[in-house]
Amino acid sequence: MAAMTRPVAKPKPKPKLTPKRVTIRDGAAGARAVTVQMDGERRARHIGPRREPQARAPDPIQARFAALVRAWRAETMCMSSLIDIAMHPTYQQIIGMGPPALPLILRELGEQGGEWFWALRAITGEDPVPPDAQGDLQRMRNAWLEWARLRGHVA
Amino acid sequence: MTREQRIEGAFPGLRTSPWEITSPRDERYNCVGWAAGRSDRRWWPSPSPGDWPADLPSANSVESLIALFARLGYVLGEPAVRAQSGERIAIFGHAGRPTHVARQLGDGRWTSKLGAEQDIVHELRAIEGEVYGSVVALLARHAVAPLVPSRG
């Protein structure tokens, strides 16, 4: 007797699923949920974190300078002594940054003012303020900004 | 935080005494210029050009400040007597170094320029504390002398 063989069930062809709707939802903390709806069946996947456009890293010199200036202005706000203002540890750290701080100091002087003359003299070894303008803050500032413009430190 | 709160934060004594801001912020002059009657100069004894008249002692000391105000006709001492007929200047300091100068107004109150910030009117001792220390010298003059010392 011939052995009975059970007919081998032919595997059903998988239905070709075509996504009908794809939803992408951004959640908290950069998580991204993707929901794919196919013929009434919903499948959800989490694929995160989402990719952000590459942010430019802050210039460490500018960031340090900005932090020091913020602290210096806050901590010397009511100080009267020009020596105490210039000898403040934050101001000394700015001087210690050397020539890379020069364009930043000049921009700060032009935009916000302030007692930057000690630092400018210390870093450049120069003093473009004419003798008759010494002590007149506006003329001192103008002399330094003109000096900077001639040397291409500021536009 | 308002500017008044920032100022009271620096000078807690102002919280319990009358005071007011009397000018906008102006960095062109400081307390010494203001006390000397100049609102276009910031002076402080220092060898740095422009910070101090070149022909006065430039050490960062109370004595240097006294020398500037002596040129304007102020003399040390007897402030209570002198105040009845003249003007008074108070020099603040701590740890042997000067920190601030205030000038008395005709009504008995005092006026101070706070660094590059505003002028305020206040009671003399209300700004003593961590920032300015305490009053270390009082000077007075009877008659108004020329207000313009020579510049360096």
Side-chain angles (χ1 to χ4, degrees):
Chain A
M1 192 171 169
M4 296 275 293
T5 56
R6 295 180 72 183
V8 177
K10 277 178 101 177
K12 272 188 178 175
K14 281 189 177 176
K16 193 173 179 184
L17 294 176
T18 311
K20 288 198 169 171
R21 202 167 79 183
V22 177
T23 312
I24 299 174
R25 198 157 35 84
D26 290 330
R32 166 168 283 183
V34 177
T35 305
V36 182
Q37 186 172 345
M38 300 175 184
D39 295 327
E41 181 187 5
R42 294 185 79 199
R43 296 180 185 178
R45 269 183 84 192
H46 291 274
I47 53 164
R50 62 178 175 267
R51 286 194 168 187
E52 298 294 352
Q54 193 73 25
R56 278 180 63 184
D59 180 332
I61 292 177
Q62 282 189 27
R64 178 160 185 250
F65 179 79
L68 289 169
V69 169
R70 259 197 312 277
W72 175 66
R73 288 195 184 280
E75 291 169 27
T76 63
M77 181 184 84
C78 293
M79 280 189 187
S80 302
S81 163
L82 300 177
I83 290 183
D84 289 349
I85 291 168
M87 294 306 288
H88 193 274
T90 52
Y91 194 89
Q92 291 297 305
Q93 287 181 64
I94 291 169
I95 291 175
M97 291 171 72
L102 196 52
L104 303 175
I105 293 173
L106 290 162
R107 190 173 66 191
E108 184 76 12
L109 176 68
E111 293 176 358
Q112 303 296 329
E115 290 288 344
W116 291 110
F117 310 109
W118 281 57
L120 288 168
R121 285 192 299 262
I123 292 173
T124 65
E126 298 189 38
D127 188 353
V129 180
D132 69 333
Q134 295 286 4
D136 181 329
L137 207 65
Q138 189 61 48
R139 292 181 66 198
M140 292 171 78
R141 178 157 69 180
N142 291 344
W144 271 107
L145 294 177
E146 177 64 7
W147 175 92
R149 194 185 62 77
L150 292 174
R151 282 157 185 76
H153 290 301
V154 293
Chain B
M1 185 182 281
T2 65
R3 58 185 183 169
E4 284 82 359
Q5 287 171 329
R6 284 191 297 130
I7 291 170
E8 287 184 351
F11 306 104
L14 293 175
R15 291 181 181 138
T16 53
S17 68
W19 72 281
E20 61 182 304
I21 294 174
T22 51
S23 80
R25 184 182 190 279
D26 192 334
E27 65 174 6
R28 289 173 303 174
Y29 64 102
N30 68 354
C31 66
V32 179
W34 182 236
R38 295 285 298 262
S39 54
D40 62 347
R41 283 289 181 277
R42 78 286 180 273
W43 276 312
W44 199 262
S46 134
S48 183
D51 289 354
W52 192 244
D55 55 345
L56 287 173
S58 62
N60 184 25
S61 67
V62 172
E63 288 71 26
S64 297
L65 285 168
I66 290 171
L68 173 75
F69 286 101
R71 177 172 287 179
L72 300 176
Y74 289 90
V75 294
L76 261 176
E78 299 296 333
V81 175
R82 291 182 187 278
Q84 294 170 8
S85 57
E87 301 166 348
R88 287 201 291 173
I89 294 287
I91 299 175
F92 291 71
H94 61 62
R97 290 182 302 114
T99 55
H100 181 66
V101 179
R103 171 166 51 90
Q104 192 173 32
L105 298 169
D107 62 6
R109 296 184 300 166
W110 292 78
T111 179
S112 280
K113 174 69 161 55
L114 305 177
E117 300 294 318
Q118 293 88 2
D119 305 342
I120 66 167
V121 171
H122 59 93
E123 291 181 356
L124 179 61
R125 306 277 174 181
I127 57 170
E128 288 185 330
E130 191 178 337
V131 179
Y132 290 158
S134 56
V135 174
V136 294
L138 282 163
L139 299 89
R141 70 178 178 187
H142 285 284
V144 175
L147 282 175
V148 186
S150 65
R151 283 194 286 121

